[in-house]
Amino acid sequence: MADAAGSETGRVLIAADKFKGSLTAVEVAERVTSGLRRAAPGVRVEALPVADGGDGTVDAAVAAGFERREVVVSGPLGAPLTAAFALRGTAAVVEMAEASGLQHLPPGVFAPLTATTYGTGELIRAALDAGARTVVFGVGGSATTDGGAGMLAALGARFLDEDGDPLADGGGPLRELATADLSGLDPRIADTEFVLASDVDNPLTGPKGAPAVYGPQKGASEEDVETLDAALAHYARVLEEAIGPKAAEYALSPGAGAAGGIGYGALVGLGAGFRPGIEVMLDVLGFAAALATADLVITGEGSLDAQTLHGKAPAGVAAAARARGKRVVAVCGRRTLDDATLATAGISRAYALTDLEPDPRLCIANAGPLLEQTAERLAARELRN
């Protein structure tokens, strides 16, 4: 096969993220594969669903050969729920959204001051119990802004008020924090490598911090944002008293503000190292090996927009593919990036569902069939026998 310019295209690699609210990354790959094969029956396709550390990260790891493990943990409001992590040998992929994500809140219900990451700590403990000694910790899509205090409490840390009583759940009560004691953290943490995988490089507090930038998405009012920002700043000061100046340094570090500040908790309490989520996940998923034999790479996500360029999966896939001289096109629900901007990111062309159905609501409702049709259009232009 050859593209319109005559270059040979013998093998297609589909490395797309989810279309949030309509299709998982696995479903995106299935629909694109179906459309390609309908238009070009002889095309050779490999699917490698990807994620950038947010929701869908465990599913991507399972699709790449990890074993799915399930455990009952505390949800963001404290109610029990079943969450999953992925395991292969002594390597685990833990996704905080599985335990503490917005999807676990009832429709229309938010708890910006009281939602907890305790269940995420329980999920990490389950991974340690399963023998994990390397943990890729994907963060994003959280319902919480507690700086990871709940997570650390589940792993043995103690956060006490002036009377020596444990603090209530959530970020709001952190303003009452008097004593932080990390000495009781699970000793296995010291022997485990934690990689904080996120597409967010915000600090913990301030104008670009977790409460100001992401609090409103979790239902925080202007007053709530101020409360949470002050509470997290106080939390960092108390931790500085407990473990020294590195606590203050971590609060300013890239990734500290990820997922309501759980990034900070991972840096301070787990000794995690921060890396852009898509880079980590491409390593975990074996992207380099799949890319080596590909002639065309198809990436994508629900919306190709300005956020895409800041650490989202399609940009990471395109950058890695371009470094190997591979041609990249994208599929998406909608796009706000023009061709020139996409080209600078390494994406030669994008195919949007809204090209076929301008109504966004209908696009979401019929995303699967529309994506198959889009893949047929892509094949007609990018592939030919």
Side-chain angles (χ1 to χ4, degrees):
M1 291 179 294
D3 67 12
S7 63
E8 300 233 340
T9 305
R11 186 168 170 277
V12 177
L13 173 63
I14 303 169
D17 201 349
K18 64 188 175 296
F19 281 25
K20 194 165 186 176
S22 56
L23 298 170
T24 67
V26 172
E27 290 168 338
V28 169
E30 291 172 347
R31 294 289 189 164
V32 172
T33 298
S34 179
L36 292 178
R37 287 181 171 156
R38 195 153 55 229
V43 67
R44 288 175 290 167
V45 180
E46 180 174 357
L48 189 73
V50 299
D52 56 19
D55 47 323
T57 294
V58 164
D59 288 341
V62 170
F66 280 66
E67 177 188 355
R68 182 181 180 88
R69 296 284 189 96
E70 294 187 343
V71 61
V72 176
V73 301
S74 302
L77 301 183
L81 57 84
T82 300
F85 64 94
L87 186 72
R88 184 165 62 190
T90 60
V93 175
V94 174
E95 174 189 326
M96 72 90 62
E98 277 281 324
S100 310
L102 276 168
Q103 74 268 26
H104 296 306
L105 296 180
V109 173
F110 295 97
L113 299 177
T114 57
T116 178
T117 57
Y118 193 91
T120 296
E122 294 176 306
L123 198 56
I124 290 172
R125 191 170 67 228
L128 296 176
D129 289 344
R133 291 301 175 264
T134 300
V135 176
V136 173
F137 184 33
V139 301
S142 73
T144 59
T145 311
D146 73 350
M151 171 188 72
L152 295 178
L155 290 166
R158 300 172 71 227
F159 299 103
L160 310 175
D161 63 18
E162 285 185 347
D163 297 324
D165 296 322
L167 290 183
D169 289 338
L174 289 174
R175 60 193 164 185
E176 307 299 330
L177 180 63
T179 304
D181 180 5
L182 304 189
S183 64
L185 281 172
D186 191 315
R188 295 174 296 181
I189 291 172
D191 298 321
T192 303
E193 178 187 7
F194 287 88
V195 180
L196 176 62
S198 174
D199 65 351
V200 165
D201 59 4
N202 303 69
L204 181 63
T205 59
K208 295 184 179 180
V213 177
Y214 301 105
Q217 299 173 7
K218 305 169 189 184
S221 65
E222 289 186 16
E223 182 179 351
D224 291 337
V225 167
E226 292 179 6
T227 295
L228 289 166
D229 196 71
L232 289 179
H234 177 67
Y235 171 56
R237 286 192 296 271
V238 175
L239 276 169
E240 185 178 7
E241 294 171 6
I243 65 172
K246 65 180 181 179
E249 296 169 10
Y250 284 137
L252 300 174
S253 298
I262 199 170
Y264 178 68
L267 294 170
V268 168
L270 306 182
F274 171 74
R275 286 183 63 196
I278 185 59
E279 290 183 10
V280 177
M281 290 307 299
L282 291 182
D283 285 349
V284 167
L285 300 175
F287 179 73
L291 180 64
T293 56
D295 299 294
L296 175 68
V297 178
I298 301 174
T299 189
E301 64 179 344
S303 179
L304 284 181
D305 54 32
Q307 286 295 315
T308 301
L309 306 178
H310 297 284
K312 293 292 187 179
V317 167
R322 180 168 57 179
R324 297 287 295 273
K326 306 293 185 176
R327 191 162 56 95
V328 182
V329 297
V331 292
C332 58
R334 68 182 187 104
R335 57 177 283 197
T336 62
L337 301 177
D338 59 28
D339 291 345
T341 303
L342 287 171
T344 63
I347 298 172
S348 62
R349 195 172 288 117
Y351 297 83
L353 304 191
T354 51
D355 295 339
L356 299 176
E357 173 51 71
D359 187 332
R361 292 172 299 175
L362 292 177
C363 270
I364 292 171
N366 300 298
L370 286 170
L371 185 54
E372 289 192 25
Q373 295 175 44
T374 296
E376 290 185 62
R377 290 179 58 234
L378 183 157
R381 185 163 185 175
E382 308 294 337
L383 313 173
R384 70 180 182 188
N385 294 319

